[in-house]
Amino acid sequence: MFVRLVIFAAALLVGTVNGFVPQTSVHQVSRSLPTSTTSLHDVDPTGFDAAVPVAPYGEQQRLFRRTVYTHDDWKKHRSQDRFFNYLARAFKSGVYKNMDREVSIATIVASVVVVYNLFATGYTGLDGVQHGAIIDGLPKLSLPLNAFTVTSPSLGLLLVFRTNTSYKRWDEARKNWGMNINHTRDLVRMANAFYDDRGVSSEQRAEDLKHVALCTWAFVRAMKRHLSPAEEDEAEFQAEMYAKLGTEQAQKIIAAAHRPNSALQDLSYAIDGLPMHFLRKNEIHTAVTIFEDNLGSSERLLTSPVPLVYSRHLARFLGIWLLLLPLGLYDSFSSSWNHIALVPATFVTSTMLFGIEEIGTQLEEPFTVLPMQAFCDKIYNWCTEIVSWTPGDNGRERKPVKPEHMYFSKKEMKEYA
């Protein structure tokens, strides 16, 4: 009878824990990674129903968290079936797979407590007959539940602060890139509108504005590389630089100790070389200053984590609390057969609480989960489109430049003529 009890408990343990064991390798995942594109609309799906052939694990799954939602994704996100869908996919969750060892250990502890107390305090057979202790003299393994009741508010506050702080970091990083998107468009729009093309050929005008657009894109692309792991982005970064920029400019940016600063300097030179009134140039340079601020804010987030003493204490507190929790809950499950319900209860509880800590850790470094490549690609498309527009192509007659906005003086115009 007892042997059957042990086999039953072991089967329950293995079946519960194996649900989160990863079934893939890094090499399998690498064949299904999303590829970047420079198309504005034709992009790989990254939203609600973006599926990968093989479930990723560990750091590889961050590549699949770079979501860009569309209207269809939002409709599915609000779907009334979302709870059923999320529950059905629970064992495929990347967050849960990252915690398979922690959850397994907590569940094993609960199983050990149940089996040990069968020896120490007796058990109920499958026929419902109560049997005495198998080994007399063994102490019962349990703790007062009050110890966990008293400490649970403190643990809850630590978890809430951890996740809130991590989300704020993610939100700040996303806002930095939002500012980049806004001001890249604003910069090239002003460059196009303020350009004084009197005495300048249409080909030269197009070349000057194209250079401004490319320098604008080069900065955000260099910033993306600056904030990304070298093994993930270096080869692609160099290939894009050489493909879109001149060879000398690409080499200069790639060889720079601080690539975003080098690209930003090129952008400043490009703006300064445009034929327009100096006050208008100053207005455009305001956007460049905002780029520098966004870069500095992002570097701060990348190099300064949540204080390590806080993260480490929370991990220790949570780990010890959950490992000891089966001892406190043992008596609460006396109504279940041989307290066996303690095992799945510990499994669910540890999954939920470890999951909160895991989410906070995943969001703490936001740049490898933000779709920065998609941002850069769209910035390139938008900037090149904006500078392709010319005055009068909307059907309205172009008005002459006001004297106070002229870059060329009348004397210079006569000389050029």
Side-chain angles (χ1 to χ4, degrees):
M1 176 68 68
F2 176 71
V3 173
R4 283 184 289 177
L5 288 176
V6 173
I7 294 175
F8 176 78
L12 177 63
L13 171 63
V14 173
T16 303
V17 171
N18 280 348
F20 291 157
V21 174
Q23 304 296 326
T24 185
S25 67
V26 172
H27 299 291
Q28 289 175 307
V29 173
S30 63
R31 292 195 293 269
S32 60
L33 295 180
T35 56
S36 63
T37 175
T38 57
S39 174
L40 181 59
H41 301 292
D42 183 19
V43 296
D44 292 332
T46 61
F48 182 94
D49 59 351
V52 292
V54 182
Y57 179 70
E59 286 295 309
Q60 290 294 321
Q61 68 184 234
R62 295 179 71 82
L63 299 174
F64 297 92
R65 300 194 187 281
R66 300 165 186 178
T67 53
V68 179
Y69 260 39
T70 64
H71 289 294
D72 290 337
D73 292 317
W74 281 114
K75 290 178 182 178
K76 295 176 182 179
H77 187 78
R78 297 188 294 265
S79 170
Q80 297 303 307
D81 297 329
R82 62 186 183 276
F83 293 104
F84 301 102
N85 292 331
Y86 296 156
L87 288 174
R89 300 174 186 175
F91 288 104
K92 297 181 180 180
S93 168
V95 172
Y96 297 159
K97 287 183 179 181
N98 282 351
M99 309 177 308
D100 64 297
R101 288 181 298 178
E102 295 89 338
V103 174
S104 298
I105 292 173
T107 308
I108 289 172
V109 170
S111 302
V112 169
V113 170
V114 171
V115 174
Y116 174 89
N117 283 334
L118 294 180
F119 283 87
T121 63
Y123 63 94
T124 301
L126 294 175
D127 53 4
V129 177
Q130 180 67 35
H131 299 271
I134 299 174
I135 301 177
D136 293 329
L138 289 179
K140 176 183 175 181
L141 284 182
S142 66
L143 287 173
L145 186 59
N146 289 341
F148 299 91
T149 303
V150 170
T151 56
S152 60
S154 299
L155 179 60
L157 288 174
L158 288 172
L159 287 171
V160 168
F161 180 82
R162 180 76 166 92
T163 52
N164 282 355
T165 302
S166 296
Y167 175 76
K168 288 179 181 178
R169 292 169 60 87
W170 179 92
D171 186 55
E172 183 177 353
R174 181 59 183 87
K175 287 177 178 177
N176 287 342
W177 275 95
M179 291 285 284
N180 282 344
I181 293 172
N182 295 344
H183 287 281
T184 52
R185 293 182 292 200
D186 197 39
L187 186 151
V188 295
R189 176 191 61 79
M190 288 189 292
N192 193 354
F194 294 166
Y195 193 99
D196 186 359
D197 57 2
R198 295 173 306 123
V200 180
S201 66
S202 58
E203 292 79 9
Q204 184 62 47
R205 180 185 191 278
E207 179 63 27
D208 289 344
L209 293 176
K210 179 183 177 181
H211 182 57
V212 170
L214 288 176
C215 288
T216 304
W217 166 82
F219 164 71
V220 294
R221 188 60 183 88
M223 178 174 169
K224 188 261 181 182
R225 169 62 193 89
H226 189 64
L227 301 173
S228 301
E231 63 274 10
E232 175 187 325
D233 194 43
E234 179 63 26
E236 290 79 2
F237 169 73
Q238 293 193 22
E240 287 190 65
M241 288 287 111
Y242 282 116
K244 291 184 171 68
L245 303 179
T247 302
E248 292 185 6
Q249 184 180 3
Q251 289 176 344
K252 171 181 172 293
I253 294 175
I254 292 171
H258 195 287
R259 290 164 169 175
N261 279 347
S262 177
L264 209 58
Q265 191 66 46
D266 285 345
L267 176 58
S268 296
Y269 291 147
I271 295 170
D272 207 47
L274 296 177
M276 64 180 64
H277 195 274
F278 77 93
L279 291 178
R280 291 187 163 189
K281 289 182 182 180
N282 290 345
E283 185 67 23
I284 298 177
H285 275 294
T286 302
V288 179
T289 302
I290 293 174
F291 293 156
E292 193 73 63
D293 292 340
N294 292 337
L295 175 61
S297 173
S298 298
E299 288 176 330
R300 172 175 53 80
L301 293 175
L302 182 64
T303 58
S304 303
V306 173
L308 296 179
V309 62
Y310 185 95
S311 301
R312 292 169 180 172
H313 178 69
L314 173 59
R316 292 164 184 155
F317 189 167
L318 179 61
I320 294 172
W321 197 88
L322 285 174
L323 289 178
L324 295 178
L325 184 62
L327 300 175
L329 293 178
Y330 181 79
D331 290 332
S332 299
F333 288 96
S334 58
S335 58
S336 66
W337 181 66
N338 290 314
H339 302 253
I340 196 66
L342 174 64
V343 178
T346 300
F347 172 80
V348 173
T349 303
S350 59
T351 299
M352 298 301 106
L353 293 181
F354 277 130
I356 296 174
E357 195 276 340
E358 174 68 17
I359 291 172
T361 301
Q362 291 291 326
L363 291 178
E364 184 179 3
E365 189 275 281
F367 299 106
T368 50
V369 293
L370 282 175
M372 295 190 295
Q373 185 62 50
F375 296 156
C376 293
D377 293 340
K378 290 183 177 181
I379 286 171
Y380 173 80
N381 290 333
W382 291 329
C383 288
T384 53
E385 181 184 38
I386 290 172
V387 297
S388 70
W389 299 330
T390 57
D393 61 7
N394 60 352
R396 293 182 63 86
E397 183 180 355
R398 183 181 180 186
K399 296 180 180 180
V401 180
K402 296 180 180 180
E404 63 269 24
H405 295 159
M406 289 181 177
Y407 176 74
F408 298 106
S409 66
K410 293 182 179 180
K411 180 180 179 181
E412 290 173 326
M413 288 298 298
K414 290 180 180 180
E415 292 176 355
Y416 289 137

